[in-house]
Amino acid sequence: MTIKQLFVAGAGLMGAGIAQTAISCGYEVSLREVDEALVNRGAENIKKRLENLVQKGKLEAGQRDAVVARLHPTTSLEAAGRADFVIEAITENFEAKRDLFKRLDGICRPDVILASNTSSIPITRMAAVTKRPERFIGMHFFNPVPVMPLIELTRGRDTADETVNATLELSRSLGKTPITSLDYPGFIVNRMLVPFVNEAINALMQGLGSREDIDQGAKLGLHHPMGPLELADFVGLDTHLYICNVLYEGLHDPKFAPPALLQQLVDAGHFGRKSGRGFYRYRQDGSRQPD
Ligand code: 3HC
């Protein structure tokens, strides 16, 4: 099957990042949100980021126009009927994804692969609500999508080899390096990331070091681009807590248990960068603000 037209469901941070990457790599993309305001915001964010690349001299203005012309913002789910491949990147909620996939299953051509960008919901569980579990796969991108080189592919219980191969090929054509995982909680990357971030939070809670020293330890000692506390703020503390619970409940291993301090920050509404406060404080534009 030749893939030319993508349908991306969800124009938030991840969906817009996926759409930007795909239009930059020559794909026609229908980017769908539930209402005009959300879809326009997603499309505007993409245009702003492309404009930044033009300002930095990394993209020519003419090329930018050609890239933008491949983006088709829409509120219509029916547009998925024209797609060769679907990527879902809506809110991380099983019921919402289940309802969406049931509808997409009825709209998309039978040969079309349905992929989910979920970081934590079992692929097999979502595949089972469709009549095409062999053409269902996890396609987990990393934030910020245009910059992060990895895509984590997860095969559900009944995912066919042809689906994996087609999605590997698509991932490479998006300029990314794919890895493949079985469908167990957290897949590969969050299985490693969650205990690491939790240990940093527990260390902070015990007063082992300041938040700055813990983050510097990982940045300068392990060559990570962000320290674990900074990264947790970037991912969203509510999101991190949700993923911890998925791993803890799914694998029954205390090393994934959410630290009390993480739960407390989320209870207080301190979700990290997106709410202006987490382990650190942030300005509206996302830059760090001194306490
Ligand atoms: N969207 C698009 N591009 C972005 C961006 C965004 N939101 N944020 C930064 N960039 C680009 C910049 O434009 C810049 O591009 P250039 O090199 O072409 O000029 C480049 O990224 C570097 O940005 P900056 O110079 O502004 O800043 P940094 O050098 O500090 O890099 C960072 C920013 C890329 C975010 C870097 O700190 C980083 O890699 N952090 C770690 C990110 C990470 O680990 N992500 C994975 C999170 S886990 C996840 O997503 C999975 C989920 O399931 C939890």
PDB file of all heavy atoms in Angstrom, residues 117-139:
ATOM      1  N   ASN A 117      -1.019   7.015  19.355  1.00  0.00           N
ATOM      2  CA  ASN A 117       0.167   7.614  19.972  1.00  0.00           C
ATOM      3  C   ASN A 117       0.158   7.417  21.499  1.00  0.00           C
ATOM      4  O   ASN A 117       0.924   8.063  22.206  1.00  0.00           O
ATOM      5  CB  ASN A 117       0.201   9.113  19.620  1.00  0.00           C
ATOM      6  CG  ASN A 117       1.340   9.850  20.288  1.00  0.00           C
ATOM      7  OD1 ASN A 117       2.496   9.454  20.181  1.00  0.00           O
ATOM      8  ND2 ASN A 117       1.032  10.916  21.029  1.00  0.00           N
ATOM      9  N   THR A 118      -0.679   6.538  22.002  1.00  0.00           N
ATOM     10  CA  THR A 118      -0.753   6.390  23.456  1.00  0.00           C
ATOM     11  C   THR A 118       0.615   6.070  24.068  1.00  0.00           C
ATOM     12  O   THR A 118       1.438   5.402  23.450  1.00  0.00           O
ATOM     13  CB  THR A 118      -1.749   5.281  23.864  1.00  0.00           C
ATOM     14  OG1 THR A 118      -1.858   5.276  25.277  1.00  0.00           O
ATOM     15  CG2 THR A 118      -1.315   3.910  23.377  1.00  0.00           C
ATOM     16  N   SER A 119       0.813   6.573  25.306  1.00  0.00           N
ATOM     17  CA  SER A 119       2.053   6.220  26.013  1.00  0.00           C
ATOM     18  C   SER A 119       1.776   5.173  27.070  1.00  0.00           C
ATOM     19  O   SER A 119       2.694   4.684  27.702  1.00  0.00           O
ATOM     20  CB  SER A 119       2.636   7.475  26.672  1.00  0.00           C
ATOM     21  OG  SER A 119       1.669   8.072  27.517  1.00  0.00           O
ATOM     22  N   SER A 120       0.501   4.852  27.288  1.00  0.00           N
ATOM     23  CA  SER A 120       0.217   3.992  28.434  1.00  0.00           C
ATOM     24  C   SER A 120      -0.987   3.065  28.303  1.00  0.00           C
ATOM     25  O   SER A 120      -1.124   2.141  29.086  1.00  0.00           O
ATOM     26  CB  SER A 120       0.022   4.877  29.666  1.00  0.00           C
ATOM     27  OG  SER A 120      -1.005   5.816  29.417  1.00  0.00           O
ATOM     28  N   ILE A 121      -1.861   3.300  27.340  1.00  0.00           N
ATOM     29  CA  ILE A 121      -3.056   2.450  27.248  1.00  0.00           C
ATOM     30  C   ILE A 121      -2.731   1.212  26.406  1.00  0.00           C
ATOM     31  O   ILE A 121      -2.104   1.338  25.350  1.00  0.00           O
ATOM     32  CB  ILE A 121      -4.228   3.255  26.629  1.00  0.00           C
ATOM     33  CG1 ILE A 121      -4.569   4.435  27.565  1.00  0.00           C
ATOM     34  CG2 ILE A 121      -5.457   2.376  26.417  1.00  0.00           C
ATOM     35  CD1 ILE A 121      -5.583   5.399  27.018  1.00  0.00           C
ATOM     36  N   PRO A 122      -3.137   0.016  26.874  1.00  0.00           N
ATOM     37  CA  PRO A 122      -2.792  -1.188  26.119  1.00  0.00           C
ATOM     38  C   PRO A 122      -3.314  -1.148  24.677  1.00  0.00           C
ATOM     39  O   PRO A 122      -4.486  -0.826  24.429  1.00  0.00           O
ATOM     40  CB  PRO A 122      -3.467  -2.311  26.911  1.00  0.00           C
ATOM     41  CG  PRO A 122      -3.631  -1.773  28.289  1.00  0.00           C
ATOM     42  CD  PRO A 122      -3.828  -0.298  28.136  1.00  0.00           C
ATOM     43  N   ILE A 123      -2.432  -1.448  23.736  1.00  0.00           N
ATOM     44  CA  ILE A 123      -2.778  -1.438  22.308  1.00  0.00           C
ATOM     45  C   ILE A 123      -3.813  -2.530  22.033  1.00  0.00           C
ATOM     46  O   ILE A 123      -4.769  -2.321  21.287  1.00  0.00           O
ATOM     47  CB  ILE A 123      -1.485  -1.671  21.477  1.00  0.00           C
ATOM     48  CG1 ILE A 123      -0.451  -0.554  21.760  1.00  0.00           C
ATOM     49  CG2 ILE A 123      -1.790  -1.770  19.985  1.00  0.00           C
ATOM     50  CD1 ILE A 123      -0.954   0.852  21.575  1.00  0.00           C
ATOM     51  N   THR A 124      -3.633  -3.690  22.667  1.00  0.00           N
ATOM     52  CA  THR A 124      -4.538  -4.819  22.444  1.00  0.00           C
ATOM     53  C   THR A 124      -5.970  -4.448  22.840  1.00  0.00           C
ATOM     54  O   THR A 124      -6.925  -4.832  22.158  1.00  0.00           O
ATOM     55  CB  THR A 124      -4.045  -6.019  23.273  1.00  0.00           C
ATOM     56  OG1 THR A 124      -2.671  -6.243  22.940  1.00  0.00           O
ATOM     57  CG2 THR A 124      -4.848  -7.274  22.996  1.00  0.00           C
ATOM     58  N   ARG A 125      -6.101  -3.694  23.922  1.00  0.00           N
ATOM     59  CA  ARG A 125      -7.438  -3.304  24.403  1.00  0.00           C
ATOM     60  C   ARG A 125      -8.123  -2.375  23.397  1.00  0.00           C
ATOM     61  O   ARG A 125      -9.316  -2.476  23.149  1.00  0.00           O
ATOM     62  CB  ARG A 125      -7.305  -2.606  25.765  1.00  0.00           C
ATOM     63  CG  ARG A 125      -8.610  -2.492  26.512  1.00  0.00           C
ATOM     64  CD  ARG A 125      -8.429  -1.852  27.877  1.00  0.00           C
ATOM     65  NE  ARG A 125      -7.614  -2.640  28.765  1.00  0.00           N
ATOM     66  CZ  ARG A 125      -7.066  -2.176  29.893  1.00  0.00           C
ATOM     67  NH1 ARG A 125      -7.250  -0.918  30.246  1.00  0.00           N
ATOM     68  NH2 ARG A 125      -6.332  -2.954  30.640  1.00  0.00           N
ATOM     69  N   MET A 126      -7.362  -1.456  22.819  1.00  0.00           N
ATOM     70  CA  MET A 126      -7.960  -0.539  21.835  1.00  0.00           C
ATOM     71  C   MET A 126      -8.229  -1.263  20.515  1.00  0.00           C
ATOM     72  O   MET A 126      -9.270  -1.061  19.886  1.00  0.00           O
ATOM     73  CB  MET A 126      -7.037   0.661  21.598  1.00  0.00           C
ATOM     74  CG  MET A 126      -7.077   1.645  22.744  1.00  0.00           C
ATOM     75  SD  MET A 126      -6.122   3.113  22.379  1.00  0.00           S
ATOM     76  CE  MET A 126      -4.476   2.506  22.605  1.00  0.00           C
ATOM     77  N   ALA A 127      -7.291  -2.132  20.115  1.00  0.00           N
ATOM     78  CA  ALA A 127      -7.451  -2.867  18.849  1.00  0.00           C
ATOM     79  C   ALA A 127      -8.729  -3.698  18.871  1.00  0.00           C
ATOM     80  O   ALA A 127      -9.424  -3.823  17.859  1.00  0.00           O
ATOM     81  CB  ALA A 127      -6.237  -3.772  18.625  1.00  0.00           C
ATOM     82  N   ALA A 128      -9.054  -4.229  20.072  1.00  0.00           N
ATOM     83  CA  ALA A 128     -10.200  -5.138  20.202  1.00  0.00           C
ATOM     84  C   ALA A 128     -11.543  -4.446  19.969  1.00  0.00           C
ATOM     85  O   ALA A 128     -12.541  -5.122  19.733  1.00  0.00           O
ATOM     86  CB  ALA A 128     -10.176  -5.806  21.576  1.00  0.00           C
ATOM     87  N   VAL A 129     -11.581  -3.122  20.019  1.00  0.00           N
ATOM     88  CA  VAL A 129     -12.866  -2.436  19.771  1.00  0.00           C
ATOM     89  C   VAL A 129     -13.095  -2.234  18.268  1.00  0.00           C
ATOM     90  O   VAL A 129     -14.153  -1.772  17.852  1.00  0.00           O
ATOM     91  CB  VAL A 129     -12.991  -1.065  20.508  1.00  0.00           C
ATOM     92  CG1 VAL A 129     -12.697  -1.228  21.989  1.00  0.00           C
ATOM     93  CG2 VAL A 129     -12.117   0.014  19.877  1.00  0.00           C
ATOM     94  N   THR A 130     -12.087  -2.577  17.465  1.00  0.00           N
ATOM     95  CA  THR A 130     -12.231  -2.431  16.011  1.00  0.00           C
ATOM     96  C   THR A 130     -12.399  -3.816  15.368  1.00  0.00           C
ATOM     97  O   THR A 130     -12.163  -4.837  16.012  1.00  0.00           O
ATOM     98  CB  THR A 130     -10.983  -1.758  15.379  1.00  0.00           C
ATOM     99  OG1 THR A 130      -9.897  -2.706  15.383  1.00  0.00           O
ATOM    100  CG2 THR A 130     -10.566  -0.508  16.147  1.00  0.00           C
ATOM    101  N   LYS A 131     -12.748  -3.791  14.073  1.00  0.00           N
ATOM    102  CA  LYS A 131     -12.860  -5.064  13.348  1.00  0.00           C
ATOM    103  C   LYS A 131     -11.554  -5.359  12.616  1.00  0.00           C
ATOM    104  O   LYS A 131     -11.510  -6.212  11.744  1.00  0.00           O
ATOM    105  CB  LYS A 131     -14.019  -4.978  12.348  1.00  0.00           C
ATOM    106  CG  LYS A 131     -15.371  -4.832  13.036  1.00  0.00           C
ATOM    107  CD  LYS A 131     -16.508  -5.094  12.055  1.00  0.00           C
ATOM    108  CE  LYS A 131     -17.852  -5.009  12.734  1.00  0.00           C
ATOM    109  NZ  LYS A 131     -18.210  -3.619  13.133  1.00  0.00           N
ATOM    110  N   ARG A 132     -10.491  -4.598  12.947  1.00  0.00           N
ATOM    111  CA  ARG A 132      -9.220  -4.792  12.255  1.00  0.00           C
ATOM    112  C   ARG A 132      -8.044  -4.854  13.245  1.00  0.00           C
ATOM    113  O   ARG A 132      -7.059  -4.105  13.059  1.00  0.00           O
ATOM    114  CB  ARG A 132      -9.007  -3.685  11.223  1.00  0.00           C
ATOM    115  CG  ARG A 132      -8.972  -2.289  11.812  1.00  0.00           C
ATOM    116  CD  ARG A 132      -8.770  -1.212  10.776  1.00  0.00           C
ATOM    117  NE  ARG A 132     -10.032  -0.727  10.271  1.00  0.00           N
ATOM    118  CZ  ARG A 132     -10.176  -0.016   9.161  1.00  0.00           C
ATOM    119  NH1 ARG A 132      -9.127   0.304   8.452  1.00  0.00           N
ATOM    120  NH2 ARG A 132     -11.360   0.402   8.771  1.00  0.00           N
ATOM    121  N   PRO A 133      -8.106  -5.713  14.268  1.00  0.00           N
ATOM    122  CA  PRO A 133      -7.014  -5.736  15.249  1.00  0.00           C
ATOM    123  C   PRO A 133      -5.655  -6.051  14.622  1.00  0.00           C
ATOM    124  O   PRO A 133      -4.621  -5.649  15.144  1.00  0.00           O
ATOM    125  CB  PRO A 133      -7.432  -6.821  16.247  1.00  0.00           C
ATOM    126  CG  PRO A 133      -8.510  -7.585  15.571  1.00  0.00           C
ATOM    127  CD  PRO A 133      -9.161  -6.677  14.589  1.00  0.00           C
ATOM    128  N   GLU A 134      -5.676  -6.738  13.452  1.00  0.00           N
ATOM    129  CA  GLU A 134      -4.398  -7.049  12.784  1.00  0.00           C
ATOM    130  C   GLU A 134      -3.813  -5.792  12.136  1.00  0.00           C
ATOM    131  O   GLU A 134      -2.625  -5.727  11.864  1.00  0.00           O
ATOM    132  CB  GLU A 134      -4.574  -8.192  11.763  1.00  0.00           C
ATOM    133  CG  GLU A 134      -5.372  -7.875  10.500  1.00  0.00           C
ATOM    134  CD  GLU A 134      -6.889  -7.657  10.729  1.00  0.00           C
ATOM    135  OE1 GLU A 134      -7.381  -7.906  11.847  1.00  0.00           O
ATOM    136  OE2 GLU A 134      -7.560  -7.193   9.790  1.00  0.00           O
ATOM    137  N   ARG A 135      -4.658  -4.786  11.918  1.00  0.00           N
ATOM    138  CA  ARG A 135      -4.188  -3.523  11.335  1.00  0.00           C
ATOM    139  C   ARG A 135      -4.236  -2.405  12.367  1.00  0.00           C
ATOM    140  O   ARG A 135      -4.577  -1.280  12.057  1.00  0.00           O
ATOM    141  CB  ARG A 135      -5.011  -3.184  10.084  1.00  0.00           C
ATOM    142  CG  ARG A 135      -4.294  -3.620   8.850  1.00  0.00           C
ATOM    143  CD  ARG A 135      -5.018  -3.299   7.572  1.00  0.00           C
ATOM    144  NE  ARG A 135      -5.261  -4.535   6.881  1.00  0.00           N
ATOM    145  CZ  ARG A 135      -6.397  -5.198   6.897  1.00  0.00           C
ATOM    146  NH1 ARG A 135      -7.446  -4.712   7.510  1.00  0.00           N
ATOM    147  NH2 ARG A 135      -6.507  -6.346   6.279  1.00  0.00           N
ATOM    148  N   PHE A 136      -3.858  -2.725  13.575  1.00  0.00           N
ATOM    149  CA  PHE A 136      -3.851  -1.745  14.669  1.00  0.00           C
ATOM    150  C   PHE A 136      -2.473  -1.808  15.330  1.00  0.00           C
ATOM    151  O   PHE A 136      -1.922  -2.885  15.553  1.00  0.00           O
ATOM    152  CB  PHE A 136      -4.937  -2.110  15.695  1.00  0.00           C
ATOM    153  CG  PHE A 136      -5.293  -0.962  16.598  1.00  0.00           C
ATOM    154  CD1 PHE A 136      -6.455  -0.232  16.399  1.00  0.00           C
ATOM    155  CD2 PHE A 136      -4.448  -0.597  17.639  1.00  0.00           C
ATOM    156  CE1 PHE A 136      -6.774   0.844  17.224  1.00  0.00           C
ATOM    157  CE2 PHE A 136      -4.757   0.477  18.460  1.00  0.00           C
ATOM    158  CZ  PHE A 136      -5.930   1.187  18.256  1.00  0.00           C
ATOM    159  N   ILE A 137      -1.917  -0.637  15.669  1.00  0.00           N
ATOM    160  CA  ILE A 137      -0.546  -0.614  16.210  1.00  0.00           C
ATOM    161  C   ILE A 137      -0.344   0.617  17.105  1.00  0.00           C
ATOM    162  O   ILE A 137      -1.039   1.629  16.934  1.00  0.00           O
ATOM    163  CB  ILE A 137       0.478  -0.629  15.032  1.00  0.00           C
ATOM    164  CG1 ILE A 137       1.902  -0.909  15.550  1.00  0.00           C
ATOM    165  CG2 ILE A 137       0.436   0.669  14.205  1.00  0.00           C
ATOM    166  CD1 ILE A 137       2.875  -1.345  14.460  1.00  0.00           C
ATOM    167  N   GLY A 138       0.587   0.532  18.033  1.00  0.00           N
ATOM    168  CA  GLY A 138       0.984   1.690  18.828  1.00  0.00           C
ATOM    169  C   GLY A 138       2.103   2.420  18.105  1.00  0.00           C
ATOM    170  O   GLY A 138       3.016   1.795  17.554  1.00  0.00           O
ATOM    171  N   MET A 139       2.005   3.751  18.071  1.00  0.00           N
ATOM    172  CA  MET A 139       3.028   4.567  17.401  1.00  0.00           C
ATOM    173  C   MET A 139       3.297   5.747  18.327  1.00  0.00           C
ATOM    174  O   MET A 139       2.664   6.797  18.211  1.00  0.00           O
ATOM    175  CB  MET A 139       2.482   4.997  16.037  1.00  0.00           C
ATOM    176  CG  MET A 139       3.522   5.497  15.079  1.00  0.00           C
ATOM    177  SD  MET A 139       2.768   5.871  13.475  1.00  0.00           S
ATOM    178  CE  MET A 139       4.271   6.229  12.551  1.00  0.00           C
TER     179      MET A 139
END
